[in-house]
Amino acid sequence: MSIDHDSPERAVSFSAPPGLQPENEAIFNNSSEGIIITDINRVILRVNPGFARITGYSQDEVIGKTPSFLKSQRHDNAFFQRIDTSLQTDGKWEGEIWNRRKNGMIYPQWLTILPIKKEDKFDRYVGIFTDITAYINSNTTIRNHAYYDSLTGLPNRMFLYDRLTFMLNLARRRKGILGVLLLDLNRFKLINDTLGYTFGDQLLQNVATRLKSCTREVDSVFRLGDDEFAILLEDILHPQDAARVAKRILSNCSQPYLIADKELFVTISIGVSLFPGDGEQFELLLKNAEAAMLRAKELGISNYQHYKPSMNTQAFEQLTLEYNLQKALNEKQFIVFYQPLINLKNREIIGAEALIRWQHPDLGMVPPAQFIPLAEETGLIIPIGEWVLDTACRQMRLWQKKFKKPYVISVNLSARQFQQKDLISMVNRVLHAVSFDPGNLKLEITESIGMKNPEQTILILNELKSMGIPIAIDDFGTGYSSLSYLKRFPIDTIKIDRSFVMEMQTGSNDTAIVDAIIAMAHSLNLNVIAEGVETLEQAEYLARKECEQVQGFYFSKPVFIDDFEQLLKNAPWINNGKDDSR
Ligand code: C2E
Ligand code: MG
Ligand code: MG
């Protein structure tokens, strides 16, 4: 089938479109790869359905154009010259190239260009490409994000990453200077809280417009998060140029904003870092700009600071991390994963333990061990803990309704939360807001938390108990268990630490320890949950010892909502429990 059949109206306006042999025609039409055929002047003659699927452009939209409208601006002229040279000398070019889809998104493709000869003369080019986004994604989680911020239309952090990485390579070769300005509005949260989100949104849009007006055409403005912006100064001549831009921004942005008939003054803190002096890589440049921005913020007025190495002293690192955690909370970077709790008698899911994760924009998924201690130290665990409780109860309530089962949700309490005066009223507040039955919530504390001040622990646990909330002692066996106190603690469940479960099959002492814990717990009328069950043998052994519940990778890792729901619908171990092939 030639193009005449595909689009007869086009056929009249373009020079002879290439027809193909029938078998090639079938490949052309059914290939999942994009195929583009141009004449020797690179005017597009034909594209296949694969092209349309990947780029978003239909054949009609592209015929007669040259492929340059697909360019992403990520490659410089030298890059395209290299392609030309290679076509002439090697008769082919193959490599990764970033192009732009119709929806504006830039994406990576693996492209092969072949010049085709006819009667010893080149007369067309064929380009064959695969969309390698998924491949790149699997290598870096960071690439998962869209490129633009929907509120301000500015490119986002992901874009900054790409752009800055690209510019850094260029600057290295050209021995140029790059500047990164990190800007943060002061007291934006207060504005949002008092004047409302709509007002806050309009303010951000106004700020975005002003920032763009303060920069040159070549400099890009990015929105990185809530009230955080960045400006990339490409190819500046002197470090002072960055200061000049910062000053211009400060003076422009300190003019009052008129929003919804209200006049508002906003102060801005700016941190500046420069390539190559303050860092050679994206991460370091941004981190140092952030350190400088925080120093500016400490002053509380509109000002800018250049990065200085002294800003990365330990105290300052702490401040940066704290700021990031606070931001993570504001920007909803935390998520809760759910690990099923299994009833060993019938292997049914009776609920889940809620386990927090931090989806860091640059670092990917950060496990709790890496940030809970800091959140504890800074006190941020209080709002974070409340968020986890609220999120997990809300989600479990949905599942209870959907599957009509009284599922349990188990939530970890940290030491600081446990000592918090407001704990009881906070838990009450959440249960009330979510209409969650207190009997289906379980709060986990570790032995060491409980033993810090046993008398106070008893008081708090009694209060929780009187609200009808069951309590579990987590990681049992790792602290300095005092059985006499354990007896006095009004608890319901003991969770055997996974280190004991792990050791079980090796035939070491730990089988004896596990046996003893289970027997002791039962004599105190306590339920036992074994953590970290990774094999069928462990599960079977624990079942023989009448351990009531288990959780562990043998059944499932902690997973996100959709996967957990899948388990609720159809847990694979219920039907083929003897099959250890998972
Ligand atoms: P935890 O409460 O003892 O949670 C169980 C940990 O064991 C989880 O690690 C879970 O992923 C891991 N685990 C479960 N089954 C297995 C297994 O079969 N094999 C192995 N190797 N590991 C298993 P995770 O999610 O990294 O959490 C670590 C700790 O962080 C938790 O220990 C808990 O103390 C704390 N944590 C997690 N979420 C929160 C939270 O929302 N608030 C507070 N305060 N602490 C939390
Ligand atoms: Mg736990
Ligand atoms: Mg545990």
Side-chain angles (χ1 to χ4, degrees), residues 339 353-357 367-369 372 381 385 388 411-414 417 444 446 474-475 495 497-498 502 531-534 551-554 556 558:
Q339 186 176 36
E353 175 169 6
L355 294 159
I356 192 174
R357 303 281 180 269
I372 293 279
I381 191 69
V388 171
V411 178
N412 294 284
L413 284 187
S414 77
Q417 275 178 289
E444 299 188 6
T446 59
D474 202 357
D475 304 343
K495 297 187 77 169
D497 189 66
R498 77 179 145 92
M502 246 164 59
E531 295 188 293
V533 173
E534 294 187 356
Q551 67 185 100
F553 293 175
Y554 173 69
S556 166

Side-chain angles (χ1 to χ4, degrees), residues 214-326:
C214 295
T215 48
R216 299 172 300 173
E217 189 79 341
V218 293
D219 303 322
S220 348
V221 182
F222 303 81
R223 180 169 176 228
L224 304 191
D226 262 4
D227 56 340
E228 192 180 53
F229 296 87
I231 294 175
L232 179 57
L233 302 176
E234 301 185 358
D235 232 355
I236 49 181
L237 296 175
H238 302 285
Q240 295 90 310
D241 292 343
R244 212 167 294 131
V245 178
K247 278 189 200 144
R248 201 178 320 136
I249 290 169
L250 289 174
S251 101
N252 194 325
C253 290
S254 63
Q255 303 301 318
Y257 295 82
L258 191 67
I259 297 167
D261 291 339
K262 283 195 179 68
E263 203 180 50
L264 184 78
F265 286 88
V266 178
T267 59
I268 286 193
S269 307
I270 304 180
V272 183
S273 68
L274 297 172
F275 169 88
D278 302 330
E280 304 232 340
Q281 305 293 343
F282 173 84
E283 287 80 9
L284 191 59
L285 274 173
L286 218 62
K287 178 168 171 259
N288 289 342
E290 192 167 79
M293 187 270 286
L294 285 171
R295 177 69 89 219
K297 231 178 190 5
E298 276 183 324
L299 300 175
I301 49 165
S302 278
N303 76 112
Y304 75 92
Q305 297 286 320
H306 264 292
Y307 169 74
K308 289 189 203 76
S310 60
M311 290 175 179
N312 269 335
T313 56
Q314 209 181 5
F316 215 79
E317 295 241 312
Q318 178 83 1
L319 196 64
T320 314
L321 271 171
E322 187 180 329
Y323 166 79
N324 274 321
L325 268 187
Q326 176 71 60

